[in-house]
Amino acid sequence: MCSGALHQLLGGKEHFEERRAHVDPAVLLPTGVATAVVQGGGDLTVPQAVSEAFVDAAAGAGELVGLTVLDGVGHFPLIDPSADACAVVAEEIAQLAW
């Protein structure tokens, strides 16, 4: 996934299993932190079903959680400051601050 970025983040494949439980949002539920999930409807890296399953699990754990799906948007425009989708992410973050 993402050219090995997850393994890089966790310090290499050899540390993946031991560190996964500390970074997997679904495993960490409930957190007590309001969460906004923004999903590209055209994301081929993280399927929409993954985000929907997390949102359902979070809501089931009593979390305040919302899901915004941006039709036709892929994975990377959500973090590209020049993309319109990134502005939606920024707005969701701003809303959480209130």
Side-chain angles (χ1 to χ4, degrees), residues 29-83:
L29 292 172
T31 65
V33 177
T35 304
V37 177
V38 182
Q39 169 75 40
D43 191 335
L44 301 177
T45 303
V46 178
Q48 186 173 329
V50 172
S51 293
E52 291 171 345
F54 171 75
V55 168
D56 289 346
E63 301 282 51
L64 178 61
V65 61
L67 173 63
T68 300
V69 178
L70 304 177
D71 293 331
V73 173
H75 186 74
F76 295 102
L78 299 173
I79 59 168
D80 177 355
S82 68

Side-chain angles (χ1 to χ4, degrees), residues 13 20 26 34 60 85 90:
K13 290 181 182 181
R20 185 172 113 184

Side-chain angles (χ1 to χ4, degrees), residues 16-28:
F16 179 75
E17 287 304 322
E18 71 186 76
R19 294 179 178 174
R20 185 172 113 184
H22 301 286
V23 297
D24 183 339
V27 172
L28 297 172

Side-chain angles (χ1 to χ4, degrees), residues 6-7 21 44 55 57 60 68 72 83-84 89 93:
L6 182 58
H7 289 136
L44 301 177
V55 168
T68 300
D84 291 340
V89 173
I93 292 169

